Amino acid sequence: MNEPKNIQFGCGVSVAQRWANYDASPTLRLSKVPLLGFLAKQKTNFPKDVLYGDITRRMPVENGQANRVYCSHVLEHLALDDFYRALTEARRMLREGGVFRGVMPDLEWEAQNYLANTESSAAHEFMKSTHLGVKSRPKSVKQKVVSSFGNSAHLWLWDYKSLEQALCDAGFRNIRRARYGDSGDEVFNSVEDESRWTNALGWHCQK
């Protein structure tokens, strides 16, 4: 078996040293294709060391090869069935005792903010902050093409109780709510961005 790895999936353009950084963006895939690559880079110019890997299918990582798996604001972009596939795939990549850690929007925090907001704009603010609403549909050919290269919408949000149960059902153990920088592990510290953890839902668990 190859040397153990630290896997970050859904990295976008945020790569970290000491990590194998993967993303499933169609733009990234096209950027590797001659001629089409130039056009793709006009949308998002991924760093050269970002690898293509889809957490909802099968990542190019052997079973039990990862010491650590991390994602930041990724799982909320997945449909519910793909979310469960992602948990299964994260666990498959980890060695026994390996850690799966990450962060995403906190539905409970967003809901509490909405309920506390007495302004007439409260509903609109909630839909915008959660990225659940669609302000306008792409109409022109160009807009539809550009839209097809992105995945900015949030498809499913979680609170801690529902996330904890999902992780448990996927076979993870020692599940706890996580805060920025509380892993006690400098390797995780090297990939975490404090701004992504503000008012968000973090988790830490083991295979």
Side-chain angles (χ1 to χ4, degrees):
M1 180 178 289
N2 294 332
E3 288 296 315
K5 292 182 177 180
N6 305 310
I7 306 295
Q8 178 184 199
F9 66 84
C11 68
V13 297
S14 300
V15 300
Q17 294 183 355
R18 304 170 72 179
W19 291 80
N21 302 281
Y22 291 88
D23 199 90
S25 169
T27 305
L28 173 62
R29 203 166 197 177
L30 284 177
S31 70
K32 310 292 186 182
V33 179
L35 299 181
L36 293 177
F38 174 77
L39 296 176
K41 288 177 181 178
Q42 303 309 301
K43 174 65 178 174
T44 303
N45 193 9
F46 285 91
K48 291 181 180 179
D49 50 353
V50 176
L51 306 169
Y52 184 83
D54 188 344
I55 193 65
T56 68
R57 297 181 183 275
R58 186 179 177 88
M59 297 280 286
V61 178
E62 295 178 15
N63 293 349
Q65 190 180 350
N67 282 328
R68 303 167 183 82
V69 173
Y70 181 78
C71 65
S72 173
H73 290 262
V74 176
L75 298 182
E76 70 274 15
H77 296 282
L78 304 182
L80 184 59
D81 55 354
D82 283 337
F83 170 87
Y84 290 121
R85 292 190 190 100
L87 296 192
T88 299
E89 183 64 359
R91 189 175 186 279
R92 179 192 69 78
M93 292 188 291
L94 280 169
R95 63 169 177 79
E96 291 296 326
V99 175
F100 178 35
R101 182 175 168 91
V103 63
M104 62 180 171
D106 185 352
L107 176 59
E108 183 177 8
W109 186 86
E110 295 286 359
Q112 288 174 344
N113 263 8
Y114 164 66
L115 293 173
N117 189 344
T118 59
E119 300 296 325
S120 61
S121 61
H124 287 343
E125 293 298 326
F126 175 79
M127 296 301 287
K128 286 192 292 184
S129 67
T130 58
H131 297 278
L132 293 174
V134 177
K135 187 175 181 181
S136 60
R137 292 184 299 166
K139 295 180 176 63
S140 69
V141 173
K142 180 179 179 181
Q143 288 174 334
K144 291 177 180 178
V145 170
V146 171
S147 177
S148 69
F149 279 92
N151 186 26
S152 60
H154 290 175
L155 302 184
W156 205 277
L157 296 186
W158 299 79
D159 61 11
Y160 180 71
K161 294 190 295 285
S162 60
L163 175 62
E164 181 182 36
Q165 186 61 58
L167 289 167
C168 181
D169 291 345
F172 288 98
R173 60 187 178 85
N174 297 330
I175 305 163
R176 66 171 175 83
R177 182 156 191 162
R179 308 292 179 184
Y180 169 73
D182 73 353
S183 67
D185 184 337
E186 63 175 11
V187 180
F188 274 117
N189 291 343
S190 71
V191 75
E192 292 179 13
D193 178 347
E194 185 173 7
S195 67
R196 307 279 280 173
W197 286 72
T198 303
N199 301 322
L201 173 58
W203 70 91
H204 184 113
C205 57
Q206 287 181 289
K207 178 175 179 179

